[in-house]
Amino acid sequence: MKSHSFAAVLAIVAALSFTSCNKDEVKFYSFEISLDESGFAAGVPSPDAYKVTFTNTNTGEVIEYEITGKTVPVKDLMGGVYDVVASATASIYNFLGTAKSVVIESSSSLNTLKIVATKSSSIIFKEIFYSCSRTPSNATYLRDNFFEIYNNGSEPVYVDGLCMSTTSNYSGALINFADENGNLVLSEGTVHTNLKSDDYVALNNIIWQIPGNGKTYLLNPGESFIIASSAVNHTEANANTLDLSSAEFETVCDNYIAKGQVDNENVPNLILINPANANITNQWMPSTLNAGLVLFAPSTPLEEAPIVANYNNPEKPSGNYLAILRSDVLDGVNWKKNAAATDLYLPENLDAGAMYVSGTFVNESIYRKSSGMNEAGDAILVDTNNSASDFEVSKKPEIRRGGSKMASWSK
């Protein structure tokens, strides 16, 4: 089934009006796209249906198809440049196929889209507040960020040792971690490795790790926990924001405390891991403009992970970035400055889209959509590895939105 919104129709009409006075110069194309599942491992099921979206990179308008089978019948698509995404879920798997900046100029412009299947994690980001806020006197307020993590599965999971970090720019314009053979290059001595760049993702300087002995923090289905930049009641300093004193963790370390950050002694601090660059600021917060945030479970000790260079300029590789296996990533979320921004901070197989809020210091968060409730009465959150489809924007950040339960260890 194909659905066109009324807004999309108006946008097409407007595009026709402004592009040319001669309607014959605007061309439309019909063709079929085959969804290629040939790379699926043994035992991976084929989904019953796919959602396929065409996003016009000039207008931002989206045309959506919902199809059963493996063929997408595209009808009367206006010529232009499009980002194409096919997504589905089945069993414990997410299915994703992407094609960026496809120029539709003939009926053979795009006829095949390769689909990749990855296991879906039950531990995912539920709500992220990164934009910060303003006080009643319109001063900027930077300390009220939070990250809510939810058990979207049916089994309890120990979250000890899980890590959170932001990633480097993966838009491809300025950053490249692969040499001419597609391998990572170590930052120290420009050593070429046999590690395939496509198997890794490069992190920025700071990683936060949940403490515990492996059986300390058990997160039951339908429960969530909050990581706050500062776990205090922020409404005492800024009436326009929220109380984070009930957070389960905070991103505070001794260096930050020495520089004046408040430490809530009743809330455990995450462990700061900073192997690539020792610079410390007064507090940690991701960019309010664009970032890729990942939650991952390291399969090997982080001190053994490669520290790699940006190989965009082979004559002078630069930077220090810790590289982790993409297969260790449980969840990843892209956000960008606005609808027109093209910089993406996660590879497409970790997140095929990106969210954005209306600006900086606007007191807006992004939260994951719900597809209903399970038999236990817990929300089933949407996770297709496409943040543009999975998340919505809230004008009022809220912890444990929709009644998700507090983590059992914090009750």
Side-chain angles (χ1 to χ4, degrees):
M1 179 180 70
K2 180 173 69 173
S3 60
H4 295 272
S5 69
F6 182 67
V9 173
L10 289 178
I12 292 173
V13 172
L16 292 177
S17 300
F18 286 104
T19 301
S20 173
C21 295
N22 185 356
K23 294 182 180 180
D24 293 337
E25 292 184 7
V26 178
K27 296 183 178 181
F28 296 82
Y29 301 96
S30 298
F31 50 94
E32 292 186 346
I33 301 175
S34 174
L35 302 182
D36 179 9
E37 299 178 345
S38 62
F40 287 7
V44 176
S46 178
D48 294 330
Y50 281 92
K51 181 172 76 172
V52 183
T53 58
F54 289 76
T55 302
N56 189 304
T57 60
N58 292 321
T59 66
E61 299 300 327
V62 179
I63 297 174
E64 180 179 303
Y65 295 78
E66 294 182 6
I67 62 113
T68 57
K70 307 297 177 289
T71 302
V72 186
V74 181
K75 301 295 183 183
D76 298 325
L77 182 67
M78 185 172 68
V81 181
Y82 293 85
D83 289 339
V84 185
V85 176
S87 60
T89 58
S91 182
I92 62 171
Y93 294 93
N94 287 326
F95 302 88
L96 189 66
T98 61
K100 296 292 186 180
S101 301
V102 178
V103 180
I104 302 298
E105 57 185 0
S106 73
S107 59
S108 59
S109 296
L110 180 64
N111 297 122
T112 303
L113 195 60
K114 187 173 182 61
I115 305 297
V116 175
T118 57
K119 284 187 178 179
S120 175
S121 167
S122 61
I123 307 299
I124 57 176
F125 288 110
K126 179 176 183 282
E127 184 153 353
I128 302 169
F129 177 41
Y130 65 87
S131 69
C132 300
S133 59
R134 290 184 180 275
T135 68
S137 63
N138 206 36
T140 58
Y141 190 81
L142 302 172
R143 300 181 181 274
D144 49 357
N145 294 314
F146 74 84
F147 314 87
E148 183 172 1
I149 296 169
Y150 180 76
N151 186 343
N152 201 37
S154 58
E155 300 293 333
V157 177
Y158 284 104
V159 298
D160 306 42
L162 295 189
C163 297
M164 181 177 71
S165 183
T166 56
T167 62
S168 181
N169 190 333
Y170 266 77
S171 65
L174 300 174
I175 302 292
N176 177 23
F177 296 103
D179 63 14
E180 57 274 7
N181 296 315
N183 297 330
L184 292 175
V185 177
L186 299 185
S187 61
E188 184 176 355
T190 318
V191 177
H192 293 248
T193 71
N194 291 319
L195 304 174
K196 290 298 181 185
S197 176
D198 286 347
D199 293 336
Y200 289 80
V201 60
L203 306 180
N204 281 328
N205 296 329
I206 289 178
I207 300 164
W208 293 100
Q209 186 169 42
I210 296 173
N213 62 13
K215 291 190 175 180
T216 305
Y217 299 110
L218 183 67
L219 191 69
N220 292 305
E223 292 181 350
S224 67
F225 65 94
I226 311 298
I227 298 173
S229 291
S230 181
V232 301
N233 183 357
H234 293 279
T235 64
E236 295 177 355
N238 176 12
N240 290 338
T241 189
L242 72 170
D243 181 356
L244 294 177
S245 59
S246 66
E248 280 77 8
F249 301 103
E250 60 180 354
T251 57
V252 176
C253 66
D254 291 343
N255 298 58
Y256 292 7
I257 295 170
K259 292 189 177 184
Q261 185 169 357
V262 175
D263 182 20
N264 184 340
E265 295 182 356
N266 296 318
V267 177
N269 295 336
L270 294 186
I271 300 168
L272 174 66
I273 299 173
N274 193 15
N277 190 318
N279 290 335
I280 295 292
T281 57
N282 294 333
Q283 71 171 72
W284 179 81
M285 57 179 291
S287 169
T288 58
L289 295 177
N290 40 38
L293 185 71
V294 290
L295 180 70
F296 65 98
S299 55
T300 57
L302 288 176
E303 58 265 25
E304 298 176 9
I307 297 178
V308 300
N310 172 17
Y311 198 65
N312 191 61
N313 180 357
E315 295 181 0
K316 191 178 181 181
S318 62
N320 296 295
Y321 306 87
L322 188 89
I324 62 166
L325 287 166
R326 296 189 191 185
S327 57
D328 287 348
V329 175
L330 304 179
D331 194 23
V333 180
N334 264 318
W335 63 82
K336 58 184 182 177
K337 182 178 180 180
N338 52 43
T342 57
D343 281 355
L344 296 178
Y345 282 70
L346 286 175
E348 291 176 5
N349 63 346
L350 294 182
D351 191 355
M355 282 299 293
Y356 56 92
V357 296
S358 64
T360 56
F361 310 109
V362 292
N363 200 36
E364 295 176 0
S365 64
I366 59 174
Y367 69 96
R368 198 178 289 271
K369 299 174 184 176
S370 172
S371 62
M373 310 288 281
N374 61 21
E375 293 180 357
D378 300 322
I380 302 170
L381 302 185
V382 177
D383 179 23
T384 66
N385 288 352
N386 185 349
S387 291
S389 298
D390 295 349
F391 283 83
E392 294 184 17
V393 175
S394 172
K395 298 293 184 181
K396 184 179 180 181
E398 180 181 345
I399 60 174
R400 302 183 180 93
R401 183 184 300 274
S404 60
K405 295 171 286 191
M406 293 180 67
S408 56
W409 71 80
S410 65
K411 295 176 182 177

